Amino acid sequence: MKNKQGYVQLAYKQIMRVGGNGALDTSVSKIKKKETQQQQIDHSHKPKQQMTQANIQKKKDLAAKKIFRFLYRIYKQKEKQHRYRKFVIEEFINTERNYVHDLRILIVIQSQVKPWLNKQQIEIIFNNLQQLYDLNNPFLQDLEGFLPYKRFKLLGPIIKGLAPFFKVYFTYYEGFTKSMATLKKCISEKEELRKFLKNMTELKEYHHQDIESYLIKPVQRIPKYNLLLEDLIKHTEKLHPDYQNLCDCLDLFKKINDDNNKNMEQFLSSKLFDLDKWFGSKLNQKLVNSKRKYITELLTTILDQNNRVINVTAFILSDLIIIGERQQHQYQYVQSVFLDEQSGCLDVENQQHLQNIYILQGMNGQSITFIEQTPNDKIEKMAKLQKIIQECKEKSKYTFQRLASRQGSEIKLQQNKIKVTALGLDERQENLSSYKVYIIEVGIDEVFQKLFLRFSQCIKIQDYIKKKYPTTQLHFLKQSTTLSLLNDQKEIESRMIAIPLFVSSLLMSEIAKQDPQILKDLGLPENFYELPSQADKFRNQRNGIQKGPDRFSYVSPTRTLIKTVDYGNDQQSIQSNQCNRRLLSASSMISRNITLVEEKKKKKEKDVIQILVNHAIPKEKPWEFNIQNNTKVLHVLDQIQKIMELQQIYDFKLYIYDNKSRVKILQNDENICDLFGDSFIFAKKKKELWFKKFLYLDLEYEKTLLYSDATRMKVLYYQLVKDIQISTFPFPTQNQYIKLAAIHLYLQNCNLSYDIIQQIIPSTILQLKQKEYWNCVVAQEFKDFKASIDNTQSTMVEIIEPEEIAKVKSKGIFSSFTQSVQTQFSQIENINIDLTKAMIQFISECLRNDFCIQQLFQVVCKEALSQFGEQNLVLGVSYHGIRLYSSSKDRIWEKIEQPQSFNVFPGSIEIGFKGRKLKFETNQGFQIQSLVDEYQALKSSNQE
């Protein structure tokens, strides 16, 4: 650039020296012009280059954040694994320290009983005890020399060095039967010995244990080494320098264990004596029982009722699982569950914070929540636990049957399986504060209902039970005392697990059957336990009336937080967990408790609350209903169908506006009174709801429904007109608005009116042209449309009907329902075909617009910024799948016909498709999931 400027200055001097407007003057002018243009180009490129560099830097920052999050997740997982590995090693050393201490006590006892026993009896009873102590004492010293723990410090060589010498335990195992028999004989024959041993159990230095408990400890030690080493290897990386050493140690101990197995099975049951001393008083029963057997123990982690993650030992018995936390020489009781024929593992889907969780459900709804380090650990331990439980069931079948016969009325409960799980979370507004509602699914056999529970509501029920039934044992909830936890995501997730367990244990208890107040507080019908016996009768009545999709049926959700696991029969498990099956709704089987307010009786009745339900039909007043506290949304819809004489109403919903003026679609099982909080009952102004069609299927099928139901046609027409007026869904061209305005003008049966045009064409578009222009183009379109109607030769609906129904039949859409429609259709006569055709055409034009047949939700997707260039998106749900639009809805970013996964978290949803996952921030996750479930159910009905 400097060279060019110098050249220009030199040329200018030459011009001044030569003078005139010759050739040199012209060439210099061209050079100056070219230089000016170059400067302009440089200035114009500069901001573009800066923008490009900014975008590149933005993408680099985003990529760096992704890499950081990925590496941080790996780091957290490794740290978690490292902490658990440290816990296992500490458990190994602590148990060895306690074991050597017990051997030392046993040697002291050996010396103390010499006055009453001869040399031969002492040798038989205590066997090679001194040899075991001489082996384990230096072994303990070597282990303690390993401390302090460091991540890459080698423990394997320490164990491996002495492992072969543990074969001396075989001598002890071999003589153990004779040892116990000799001891028993000596105790019965020698009174002084008997008194000494009895007094020994009362002394603190002996930890209140008898001599049998000490003599059994060497028998139990080798299996304990196997369990600890297996757990340690599982949480040691394969690249860790100690991994192979630990594997070699495990092989050595397994070989010793296998050699001793023949003599060991009869000794394992003696472990019950230890467990009885540790936990018997907490369980209020004697654990030593001829029918009960000790199976094994597992080192694991649980989520306790205080939402603490603690490392524990699970002691598995043939009919009982006890959780204990080690404290010095014994275990502290944490919790327990008894097993019955319905016991098993429940798989819990991963949430944002709580992951790798599964639940062991026992008798009467009691449960234990396990939380593992990795997904593989979860699968492995859940399968192992389920297998052990299944074997216990088969071996103890008689015991379970006898227990059931003792419980009497419990038999009926076991036959009617009660299922409880969490579906999602909904955020609501009351006055100036917001609160969260947990959506819980409750089922008894094939009758299901959704419950909408606040945590405070569950606490009130729990307090009522504790006060009235103080001895009842349930899976009680723990109320957090820290206010900050109320908005903590981890706390919310833990409640989503805890509330279903509380409700499940409550419904499986006797008190729920005896006290109808509990069912009422939960929002369940008083005849809940009798619903299965009434289901067939109700279903037969409905089948005789209703064809096709039925609003009284219950749509099984595509995703539940807690799922039943059946390892015995994988195919059966898959079938039992099938989604989208239409089951029977419990709400449909209870009394309606709703009446229409008559014009002559405006006076409010006692114990009755009044609501208004708005619709889009002009010149018709909103419906006014008297409802009670337990009136469901389904009951209001049922009443509306009767008033309007609609043939089908499954695709219509009630909705309200939330605190952010967003449409909130109501679930059929929701209590009307609960939607507006406690202030609703005392409010002077009537609360308002809105009635609208939300579900749209294939266009031809929709047209078939319209031809057969004039009321549906009228309702949908006015609903679409209202949606167009408030710009709910835009049309891409002006011509479409003009066409709809002309049809609307024809249906209103009035002369050309700019007011009618304003009802269809949005003001933003009307402002683009003069009023005269719109009057002219709409008038011309009106003439063309009227001419096409006048040229129609048919005056009977039945001439058009077969063609429409034939199209639907060819697609196989609800064929049984279509036949019933055809029968009704053929009986309709003397209908104004002109108005019908015009209305159908108006509706069809609207339904061809994708935005019309979708429910739209505003979402935020930070990951979309790098893919689509914006993070504020519009998510649409329809019969054809999920669509992602730009915030202005002028561009479609993604079409998701069939999501591979759909997860709902507090405050967000995650959709998997095309091998990737996108996370969307929204508080309407449950509404989106419910719509997806409804459409999936309709597709399943179509396929059937």
Side-chain angles (χ1 to χ4, degrees), residues 454-465:
R454 295 177 66 171
F455 186 74
S456 58
Q457 183 181 351
C458 295
I459 293 295
K460 286 181 182 178
I461 297 172
Q462 179 173 286
D463 292 341
Y464 169 80
I465 293 167

Side-chain angles (χ1 to χ4, degrees), residues 4 29-39:
K4 288 182 179 179
S29 299
K30 289 181 180 180
I31 291 171
K32 286 188 72 177
K33 186 176 181 182
K34 188 174 181 180
E35 174 60 25
T36 305
Q37 290 175 350
Q38 184 65 36
Q39 289 177 355

Side-chain angles (χ1 to χ4, degrees), residues 112-335:
Q112 290 175 334
V113 297
K114 282 182 179 180
W116 304 289
L117 300 175
N118 59 40
K119 186 177 180 180
Q120 185 180 7
Q121 289 171 332
I122 288 175
E123 287 178 355
I124 293 172
I125 292 172
F126 295 95
N127 206 325
N128 62 336
L129 174 64
Q130 186 64 45
Q131 198 176 13
L132 300 184
Y133 177 77
D134 292 341
L135 172 63
N136 283 87
N137 189 42
F139 183 55
L140 172 62
Q141 293 174 9
D142 291 345
L143 290 175
E144 288 179 332
F146 173 81
L147 299 174
Y149 169 83
K150 291 183 180 179
R151 186 171 299 198
F152 294 105
K153 205 170 182 179
L154 301 182
L155 177 66
I158 297 173
I159 303 172
K160 194 175 179 180
L162 288 174
F165 298 99
F166 278 84
K167 291 180 180 179
V168 299
Y169 273 79
F170 182 72
T171 304
Y172 191 89
Y173 286 6
E174 197 173 34
F176 187 75
T177 304
K178 191 175 180 180
S179 170
M180 297 305 289
T182 305
L183 176 65
K184 187 176 180 181
K185 183 180 178 182
C186 292
I187 291 173
S188 63
E189 292 177 353
K190 303 177 187 294
E191 186 177 351
E192 291 297 324
L193 176 64
R194 185 166 61 251
K195 286 182 180 179
F196 170 77
L197 295 177
K198 185 178 180 181
N199 293 333
M200 187 185 80
T201 59
E202 298 174 1
L203 298 176
K204 188 177 180 181
E205 55 263 31
Y206 295 107
H207 306 297
H208 305 287
Q209 298 185 57
D210 56 23
I211 189 171
E212 290 90 346
S213 299
Y214 282 106
L215 288 171
I216 193 66
K217 290 184 184 294
V219 178
Q220 300 167 345
R221 190 57 189 164
I222 298 295
K224 184 75 172 178
Y225 288 141
N226 287 337
L227 291 171
L228 289 166
L229 284 170
E230 284 176 354
D231 218 24
L232 184 56
I233 290 169
K234 192 184 300 178
H235 294 91
T236 301
E237 297 176 6
K238 290 186 178 181
L239 297 176
H240 193 286
D242 209 19
Y243 182 82
Q244 190 57 47
N245 293 326
L246 295 173
C247 291
D248 294 340
C249 294
L250 179 61
D251 291 339
L252 288 169
F253 277 108
K254 274 187 176 180
K255 190 175 185 307
I256 298 170
N257 194 55
D258 292 341
D259 292 339
N260 296 325
N261 264 345
K262 295 177 182 177
N263 302 294
M264 195 168 50
E265 287 185 7
Q266 56 183 313
F267 311 139
L268 289 179
S269 58
S270 59
K271 182 78 174 179
L272 291 173
F273 288 95
D274 289 339
L275 298 178
D276 188 65
K277 290 181 179 64
W278 295 333
F279 311 123
S281 59
K282 293 287 184 181
L283 295 169
N284 297 320
Q285 65 171 277
K286 196 76 174 172
L287 292 180
V288 180
N289 188 303
S290 59
K291 296 290 184 182
R292 180 177 290 133
K293 291 184 178 181
Y294 171 82
I295 306 297
T296 186
E297 58 189 71
L298 299 173
L299 279 176
T300 185
T301 309
I302 67 163
L303 186 71
D304 71 357
Q305 292 184 343
N306 296 327
N307 294 329
R308 294 183 304 135
V309 177
I310 54 176
N311 297 317
V312 297
T313 302
F315 298 96
I316 303 174
L317 311 182
S318 56
D319 64 335
L320 170 67
I321 294 179
I322 307 172
I323 303 297
E325 186 178 12
R326 172 168 281 283
Q327 288 191 350
Q328 295 182 351
H329 296 284
Q330 59 181 10
Y331 288 88
Q332 182 182 4
Y333 175 83
V334 179
Q335 64 182 117

Side-chain angles (χ1 to χ4, degrees), residues 690-848:
W690 281 262
F691 175 72
K692 184 179 179 181
K693 176 178 168 67
F694 275 97
L695 301 177
Y696 292 91
L697 278 74
D698 184 274
L699 177 59
E700 300 302 330
Y701 176 68
E702 292 288 349
K703 288 166 71 174
T704 304
L705 293 178
L706 295 173
Y707 275 120
S708 63
D709 192 341
T711 305
R712 167 182 284 269
M713 191 185 304
K714 177 182 175 182
V715 170
L716 185 53
Y717 163 64
Y718 283 114
Q719 174 188 311
L720 293 172
V721 170
K722 182 179 179 181
D723 286 342
I724 293 172
Q725 288 174 353
I726 60 177
S727 300
T728 301
F729 52 90
F731 287 91
T733 64
Q734 292 183 13
N735 290 337
Q736 288 175 294
Y737 282 110
I738 294 169
K739 186 174 183 179
L740 289 173
I743 301 173
H744 182 58
L745 191 66
Y746 179 87
L747 288 168
Q748 295 304 306
N749 196 23
C750 60
N751 296 326
L752 182 64
S753 168
Y754 190 70
D755 292 337
I756 298 295
I757 294 174
Q758 284 180 311
Q759 292 179 6
I760 300 298
I761 303 178
S763 58
T764 53
I765 296 178
L766 288 173
Q767 292 172 1
L768 300 176
K769 303 284 185 180
Q770 295 294 326
K771 180 178 178 180
E772 291 75 15
Y773 168 81
W774 295 112
N775 286 335
C776 179
V777 293
V778 172
Q780 184 60 46
E781 184 66 31
F782 175 81
K783 290 178 182 178
D784 295 341
F785 178 76
K786 190 173 185 303
S788 66
I789 292 292
D790 293 339
N791 291 334
T792 304
Q793 297 179 357
S794 173
T795 57
M796 299 290 292
V797 177
E798 57 185 346
I799 295 177
I800 298 175
E801 169 268 326
E803 180 183 355
E804 298 295 339
I805 291 190
K807 290 179 181 178
V808 179
K809 281 184 176 180
S810 65
K811 296 189 177 184
I813 301 176
F814 305 123
S815 57
S816 60
F817 173 71
T818 308
Q819 283 184 344
S820 67
V821 171
Q822 186 174 10
T823 304
Q824 297 169 1
F825 205 94
S826 60
Q827 298 173 356
I828 301 175
E829 297 179 359
N830 300 325
I831 294 178
N832 188 330
I833 186 61
D834 291 349
L835 290 179
T836 300
K837 186 174 181 181
M839 199 171 287
I840 293 288
Q841 190 164 346
F842 182 92
I843 294 172
S844 299
E845 289 293 331
C846 292
L847 297 188
R848 289 189 182 98

Side-chain angles (χ1 to χ4, degrees), residues 451-508:
L451 304 182
F452 300 81
L453 300 173
R454 295 177 66 171
F455 186 74
S456 58
Q457 183 181 351
C458 295
I459 293 295
K460 286 181 182 178
I461 297 172
Q462 179 173 286
D463 292 341
Y464 169 80
I465 293 167
K466 285 183 176 180
K467 185 176 180 181
K468 192 170 182 180
Y469 308 98
T471 59
T472 300
Q473 295 294 321
L474 299 174
H475 186 98
F476 286 122
L477 302 168
K478 181 70 176 179
Q479 188 172 12
S480 302
T481 55
T482 309
L483 292 177
S484 61
L485 287 178
L486 295 176
N487 295 318
D488 184 29
Q489 294 294 319
K490 190 174 181 180
E491 177 71 11
I492 293 170
E493 290 176 5
S494 64
R495 288 179 178 181
M496 287 186 70
I497 297 173
I499 291 175
L501 296 177
F502 167 69
V503 174
S504 176
S505 64
L506 181 56
L507 293 177
M508 290 182 181

